[in-house]
Amino acid sequence: MLGDSYPAAVRRFQQMEKRFFIDDHLRKSYSEFMEEYERLGHIELSPVASRSPQFSFTSMPSSVQRVRPQKYHIQPALFATIINFRLPRFAISADAEKMFRQMWVHPDDRKFQQILWRNNPSEPNRKYQLKTVTYGLASSPFHAARVLNQLATDEGHRFPLAVPVIRKGTYVDDVLRSTKSGGFVFRKWASNCKTVLSQVPEELWETSADLELDRSQAVKTLGLLWFPHQHDVFKIKVPALPELEVVTKRIVVSEMSQLFDPLGLLGPVVVSAKMFIQSPWAAHISWESELAKEAAVWWKKYRANIKELIPLQVPKRVLWNKDTERQYSVHCFCDASQKGFGCCVYIVSLDEYGQLHSHLLTSKSRVAPLRGKLIPRLELRAALLGSQLVHCIRTDTNITGPITFWTDSTIALHCIKSRSNSWKVFVSNRVAEIQRLTKDAQWMHVPTDLNPADHISRGLLASQIIYDKLWWHGPEYLTFPANVSDFDAE
């Protein structure tokens, strides 16, 4: 049923060999990689010629190129995993290193994992069968997540506290708040608690034993830089952009994608770039055409301003009560403008001294459509986006606190609190969805100058956002002493 892919595999392998003539480093990397696999016994020559599915070896070895996995529903979304990581006071990260090399394929199924290889073009093509689960494929993240989920099922009765960690604290083979069983060796351990690390052999640490002395060392956690011993904060990995003479649409799109922000902590900065690229995109400018002088000047200013993010520190921890994590509330702010619309979510928690703290948790943004830029409709779309984001948080993370939604649009607020079938189709559909997603929450009005989502609907430069208290902590009234009564005195 799968057909015969051997001819296609031959063509793809021949294309790879042409690249080897150009790039000798690439050829050596592939050869060393295959030699290692043979030495470890992870591949074997196919016993007989068959017409079962074959594929050429096209994934780069990890020494040449890091393969980024795709998202699968069996594993939580990346942003949900990081949000769960920010909730507890003490945190752990680890990596199930070489997991795929420990996952063996049944001999009857190895015929479905065949590759072609030869050391040089003068040799005949050799057919190999992979004996272990292959990494670097589109399905590889599923394999890793599926094995870890099965591990939680098989060993959950022995380690009940580890089950939610595997279910919601794992992304591919990176484990946040981890335990060990099933034969996998977890490496690259890091924690903001020295007691935890003292239970792990030093050779399995992410960094050396001098980490406590050199507090500048960072731990890479799912694309973020985590400094567990330097105030327990995240820092943004700012891309090093080269000098630029000509600005084209291709360059802009390429550079704006290099600022990795899975939680939307830099939402106003990222959406500024999205708003900027909308005009040349709508004008159907080709990828290699130089942008207008005014647009080129703006982009050069924007990319130079990105360096202002280097000293930025974002607290990993967003809950502040050391005894219970239930004394907190969730606040989602929504806003729209002619340029775009978006929402941002804050966690307000009570510490052991009775003081309230508010921290940005995540945000989402959208660029306004080229047509139909009616502000009331955009405000309603912003409210819907906020409803969807909070629903996703409540579904995929461990956050269960009471929720309040805020908007500075009295029109949107009136629509949301009215019957959905009293409006025309566009408004009626969105109001009905908002009411369904937020039936257990309340909607409130916030003045425009106190609405942090105003930043994400209009955009900011990096130098403007880095010290903006409204963006990072929300309006001050969230932490007024009068709000302490809203929490249960447990």
Side-chain angles (χ1 to χ4, degrees), residues 82-89 232 234 263 265 314-321 327-329 345-350 357-362 399:
I82 300 178
I83 284 178
N84 284 333
F85 186 55
R86 300 186 69 189
L87 300 183
R89 179 183 181 186
D232 193 21
F234 288 133
L263 290 185
L265 300 176
V314 180
K316 180 205 73 68
R317 184 185 177 194
V318 293
L319 294 181
W320 285 84
N321 193 302
Q327 293 187 338
Y328 65 90
S329 59
V345 180
Y346 295 82
I347 295 290
V348 179
S349 59
L350 189 69
H357 300 264
S358 176
H359 289 282
L360 174 68
L361 182 67
T362 185
I399 293 178

Side-chain angles (χ1 to χ4, degrees), residues 202-214:
E202 185 180 326
E203 62 269 18
L204 300 181
W205 290 10
E206 165 70 14
T207 51
S208 66
D210 297 330
L211 178 62
E212 183 65 22
L213 299 176
D214 185 5

Side-chain angles (χ1 to χ4, degrees), residues 156-347:
H157 64 284
R158 296 175 54 203
F159 306 98
L161 296 180
V163 173
V165 175
I166 297 297
R167 303 289 190 195
K168 290 189 174 182
T170 304
Y171 191 78
V172 191
D173 59 350
D174 290 308
V175 181
L176 307 181
R177 300 181 305 164
S178 177
T179 187
K180 171 184 172 182
S181 187
F184 298 119
V185 178
F186 286 86
R187 303 179 185 275
K188 301 181 180 180
W189 285 83
S191 176
N192 56 358
C193 178
K194 291 187 291 185
T195 304
V196 172
L197 281 181
S198 66
Q199 308 299 314
V200 180
E202 185 180 326
E203 62 269 18
L204 300 181
W205 290 10
E206 165 70 14
T207 51
S208 66
D210 297 330
L211 178 62
E212 183 65 22
L213 299 176
D214 185 5
R215 292 174 175 264
S216 63
Q217 294 191 42
V219 176
K220 294 182 180 179
T221 305
L222 299 180
L224 296 175
L225 299 179
W226 177 36
F227 290 79
H229 294 277
Q230 189 185 37
H231 309 298
D232 193 21
V233 298
F234 288 133
K235 288 188 177 182
I236 305 300
K237 186 177 180 180
V238 180
L241 301 177
E243 293 294 328
L244 192 62
E245 295 183 1
V246 177
V247 180
T248 65
K249 188 171 74 171
R250 184 183 301 278
I251 290 176
V252 171
V253 173
S254 174
E255 293 185 344
M256 65 184 287
S257 65
Q258 295 180 39
L259 191 60
F260 185 65
D261 184 29
L263 290 185
L265 300 176
L266 305 176
V269 179
V270 175
V271 79
S272 294
K274 294 180 180 179
M275 294 172 180
F276 168 77
I277 198 61
Q278 187 181 44
S279 295
W281 204 283
H284 302 290
I285 296 176
S286 67
W287 286 99
E288 307 303 336
S289 297
E290 185 175 354
L291 300 187
K293 182 178 179 180
E294 183 178 352
V297 170
W298 188 94
W299 181 253
K300 289 181 179 180
K301 177 183 177 182
Y302 174 89
R303 67 197 301 274
N305 203 257
I306 291 295
K307 297 178 182 179
E308 299 290 334
L309 297 172
I310 293 177
L312 177 63
Q313 297 183 358
V314 180
K316 180 205 73 68
R317 184 185 177 194
V318 293
L319 294 181
W320 285 84
N321 193 302
K322 68 178 182 179
D323 298 320
T324 175
E325 295 175 1
R326 288 174 291 182
Q327 293 187 338
Y328 65 90
S329 59
V330 182
H331 298 262
C332 179
F333 293 82
C334 311
D335 189 50
S337 71
Q338 289 283 355
K339 296 181 178 180
F341 59 93
C343 57
C344 45
V345 180
Y346 295 82
I347 295 290

Side-chain angles (χ1 to χ4, degrees), residues 98-150:
K98 300 181 180 178
M99 171 187 286
F100 290 101
R101 297 189 181 185
Q102 301 174 41
M103 294 163 57
W104 295 89
V105 177
H106 192 279
D108 293 343
D109 296 327
R110 292 172 186 172
K111 61 184 178 182
F112 298 107
Q113 292 195 150
Q114 299 192 79
I115 63 174
L116 298 177
W117 179 252
R118 59 185 178 185
N119 290 319
N120 60 74
S122 63
E123 299 178 355
N125 287 334
R126 287 188 296 231
K127 298 179 183 180
Y128 288 93
Q129 291 185 161
L130 295 171
K131 300 166 66 175
T132 61
V133 174
T134 309
Y135 65 88
L137 302 180
S139 60
S140 297
F142 168 82
H143 298 154
R146 182 64 183 85
V147 168
L148 288 176
N149 274 269
Q150 188 63 44

